[in-house]
Amino acid sequence: MPTTTPSDTGPVGLFRHGLDLLTRGDMEGWIALFAEDAVAEFPFAPDGYPRRLDGRAALGPYLRGLSAHLAYDAFPHVEVHETGDPGTIVAEMRAEGRVLATGGPFEMAYVAVVTIRDGLIVRYRDYWNPLAVPASLTAAVHD
């Protein structure tokens, strides 16, 4: 379960809590927000990056690999849209951080479609821009 409990346990509150965990460097807390059988999809992932991960057991190592190379410092733009499904939200966001190997800046824009059931993320579709990935991060998915 998450390191701390969000004050708002609805989809928007849980998602914003997850972003807070990421900016605090709590990748284990972020991973714990996913259901055991969660599906994560990355439709725009380039060759060499996974396009789909099934289950927390597959998602955990992938996210830990990224966090070994990248630190999220802030999400200065987050706009969350509710949908006709009360458990699904669409988030537009921009992340700022650092590439740990170089200390250089990292910026990425995302659109994520997130479905939450019983207080956990069950589906996460992340439409990130592969053209914005620093070359130094490519190693993260191959560790």
Side-chain angles (χ1 to χ4, degrees):
M1 287 288 93
T3 307
T4 59
T5 304
S7 57
D8 174 0
T9 57
V12 174
L14 185 76
F15 182 74
R16 288 186 180 276
H17 174 69
L19 297 181
D20 182 55
L21 292 170
L22 289 173
T23 59
R24 289 188 290 155
D26 187 354
M27 187 58 72
E28 293 307 314
W30 172 242
I31 293 166
L33 294 179
F34 287 81
E36 289 292 332
D37 61 349
V39 173
E41 297 171 295
F42 311 98
F44 297 151
D47 290 340
Y49 286 76
R51 288 197 171 89
R52 180 181 169 117
L53 295 166
D54 290 290
R56 189 189 303 159
L59 185 59
Y62 171 77
L63 292 172
R64 286 182 196 101
L66 288 177
S67 70
H69 297 273
L70 177 70
Y72 289 100
D73 293 330
F75 289 88
H77 171 79
V78 178
E79 189 172 340
V80 180
H81 308 277
E82 295 184 357
T83 70
D85 175 349
T88 299
I89 59 173
V90 176
E92 299 176 74
M93 58 193 162
R94 184 171 54 86
E96 295 177 349
R98 293 166 281 115
V99 176
L100 296 177
T102 65
F106 169 81
E107 277 193 36
M108 179 69 72
Y110 304 86
V111 173
V113 180
V114 184
T115 301
I116 295 169
R117 300 277 184 257
D118 300 322
L120 294 172
I121 298 168
V122 296
R123 187 169 185 204
Y124 193 94
R125 282 175 288 153
D126 191 342
Y127 296 89
W128 56 276
N129 178 4
L131 299 176
V133 176
S136 58
L137 288 183
T138 301
V141 296
H142 301 290
D143 281 353

